[in-house]
Amino acid sequence: MSDQSGSRIKHSSDGVRGKIAAPRPLSRPGGPRAPRPPVDSNVSSWTVAPGVTFTQWDRTDFRGAIRAYLVRADLDTPGVGVDYLGPERVQERETVLDMTARDSAIVGINGDFFDISDTGAPLGFGADRDRGFLHGREVGWNRAFYLTDSGTPNIGDIYMLAKVKGHNELKVATANSPTVEPDRVGLYTSQWGRTLGDRVTDGDADVREVVIRNNKVVRNRTRLSNGYQIRDQVLIGRGQGAKRLGWLRVGKKARVVNRARNRVTVAVTGNRQLLDERVRTVVDDREMHPRTAIGIDRDTNEILMLVIDGRQSFSRGYTMVELANLMLELGAEDALNLDGGGSSTMVALDPAGVLGVRNSPSDDVEGDDRAGGNQRLVPDGLEITYTAPPVG
């Protein structure tokens, strides 16, 4: 199994290997009988806002118990919207609750996988309705949930286009990414925050940094700055990328243009598409983890946000196949797996209008896990917003 980068499937940013699920019995003459259908219990549901509902339930099957949390958001309901959820800077991390509260949103879930052991930055693509394109890659981690400029939700590949105007030989592979890849050039903007020295080049000594301000090269050197507050644009190259950056002389005009190739207004990447037009596209039915997923019910034009608790006694977690099957059962045509493990978090208003964490995050669970763990600091997510239409 591999993720978008070709390595072993990432189930969560923490890299923890999940417990292995019991094999599914095969039904055959004279052999074991097929397992009984799952049993649902403790169902609780309420209206978060017009067109937005929250449901929580327990499910028990032959593998054990899980607890699920689902938000349905009808995009045809006036005032309901979906947007990117994130801190002010790409390299910062916050709890889903804090980010959702700051945006005055009514629902929030965690989003992309991220560089948990170092920079804290998301691995893939991010676009915000108000702030525009924030971070991304030319190739390599591109499977995303996104909204087109017409407001249509989709799940598929999106790509970054970045180039130095007037220097077509200088191809930019990443923007505000945790790593500049060998022999490539990466772009960092004011939306990133402060420079991090060789943390973004894996300690590589063959590097070069170019600072562009007011469309002019103001610095070009073979040493990376650390702690410099980016005010305009910084290009960092490794290997052949560093060599190509040497052509940008101080005082010369230069401007980096970066955007999404697709016309998107909102976007967050995950690692694996679970469903594609109601066809299950994952085969991993072994590792169980807490899960977060986003789905699209095209018949109703609803967004489905799903979180499954895991790594706790009352909820074993789901495999990728189980997650896809549940999304299919719930009515999704397309669905995407987002970061799981201790990152999996769902925030929503309760019936009294109080915003809170509705699931039981698994981070730092110790001893009696009935109360769950702590919220993990994450770099981004997705939110549901609601603005009441004008009266009259």
Side-chain angles (χ1 to χ4, degrees):
M1 295 289 174
S2 63
D3 61 17
Q4 294 183 24
S5 62
S7 60
R8 175 183 170 272
I9 284 178
K10 291 177 71 71
H11 291 270
S12 61
S13 291
D14 54 36
V16 174
R17 287 185 177 269
K19 291 184 178 181
I20 301 302
R24 188 175 299 275
L26 299 175
S27 179
R28 62 182 185 274
R33 290 187 298 176
R36 293 180 178 178
V39 176
D40 292 341
S41 60
N42 302 320
V43 180
S44 177
S45 183
W46 62 79
T47 298
V48 178
V52 182
T53 59
F54 172 91
T55 305
Q56 171 185 324
W57 72 100
D58 293 332
R59 170 169 288 192
T60 304
D61 60 18
F62 75 99
R63 285 175 169 169
I66 62 99
R67 184 164 295 163
Y69 310 83
L70 173 69
V71 167
R72 290 181 178 271
D74 181 1
L75 297 186
D76 290 333
T77 299
V80 173
V82 183
D83 206 351
Y84 177 92
L85 186 66
E88 183 180 359
R89 306 295 182 193
V90 172
Q91 64 176 269
E92 296 173 349
R93 290 189 289 164
E94 296 181 19
T95 66
V96 175
L97 179 59
D98 285 346
M99 291 187 289
T100 307
R102 185 178 58 248
D103 285 1
S104 299
I106 60 174
V107 173
I109 58 171
N110 65 289
D112 199 1
F113 292 71
F114 62 100
D115 184 19
I116 193 170
S117 61
D118 191 3
T119 66
L123 301 185
F125 201 101
D128 183 281
R129 191 183 299 277
D130 296 323
R131 294 185 287 165
F133 170 75
L134 299 173
H135 52 88
R137 304 165 60 93
E138 186 179 34
V139 294
W141 195 271
N142 306 83
R143 195 63 48 79
F145 166 86
Y146 62 94
L147 294 184
T148 67
D149 53 4
S150 64
T152 302
N154 276 298
I155 291 173
D157 290 343
I158 55 177
Y159 301 95
M160 179 195 77
L161 177 63
K163 59 182 179 180
V164 183
K165 296 284 285 185
H167 299 271
N168 293 333
E169 73 282 357
L170 271 173
K171 297 186 181 298
V172 180
T174 57
N176 294 329
S177 176
T179 304
V180 178
E181 297 176 350
D183 297 320
R184 297 290 190 269
V185 174
L187 168 69
Y188 294 89
T189 70
S190 59
Q191 293 167 324
W192 170 259
R194 296 182 180 274
T195 57
L196 297 177
D198 64 5
R199 289 167 60 185
V200 298
T201 57
D202 302 324
D204 195 339
D206 186 10
V207 296
R208 184 174 289 273
E209 178 181 278
V210 171
V211 177
I212 299 172
R213 185 174 305 134
N214 297 324
N215 299 329
K216 185 180 292 186
V217 177
V218 299
R219 184 184 302 162
N220 188 327
R221 62 184 186 180
T222 57
R223 179 168 56 88
L224 303 184
S225 60
N226 193 353
Y228 165 73
Q229 180 63 53
I230 301 173
R231 285 185 283 172
D232 200 340
Q233 297 175 323
V234 173
L235 293 170
I236 295 177
R238 292 176 65 178
Q240 291 300 312
K243 181 179 179 180
R244 289 190 291 271
L245 283 182
W247 303 335
L248 291 177
R249 303 299 182 188
V250 173
K252 295 293 184 180
K253 289 184 178 181
R255 180 167 64 95
V256 183
V257 178
N258 61 301
R259 61 176 176 82
R261 286 185 181 178
N262 315 57
R263 293 185 174 181
V264 302
T265 57
V266 174
V268 166
T269 40
N271 72 331
R272 294 299 297 268
Q273 187 160 353
L274 300 166
L275 298 175
D276 184 2
E277 296 184 349
R278 297 191 65 80
V279 176
R280 194 179 69 212
T281 53
V282 290
V283 296
D284 185 353
D285 197 28
R286 290 177 54 76
E287 281 197 51
M288 300 184 296
H289 291 276
R291 302 285 185 183
T292 303
I294 181 83
I296 304 169
D297 185 337
R298 299 198 180 280
D299 293 334
T300 61
N301 201 28
E302 289 180 318
I303 298 300
L304 280 62
M305 293 179 166
L306 178 66
V307 168
I308 307 293
D309 281 338
R311 301 179 185 172
Q312 298 171 78
S313 60
F314 62 89
S315 191
R316 60 179 173 82
Y318 256 174
T319 68
M320 294 280 251
V321 166
E322 289 176 315
L323 188 66
N325 287 344
L326 181 53
M327 269 293 190
L328 188 62
E329 177 187 330
L330 294 171
E333 277 81 21
D334 302 295
L336 178 71
N337 182 61
L338 301 174
D339 192 11
S343 299
S344 287
T345 307
M346 177 173 283
V347 167
L349 296 178
D350 68 9
V354 177
L355 191 70
V357 179
R358 300 299 157 214
N359 75 310
S360 180
S362 64
D363 233 14
D364 305 320
V365 168
E366 295 180 4
D368 185 356
D369 60 20
R370 287 175 296 179
N374 300 315
Q375 287 188 80
R376 175 178 288 173
L377 301 177
V378 296
D380 64 11
L382 287 165
E383 66 184 12
I384 302 296
T385 58
Y386 178 73
T387 302
V391 178

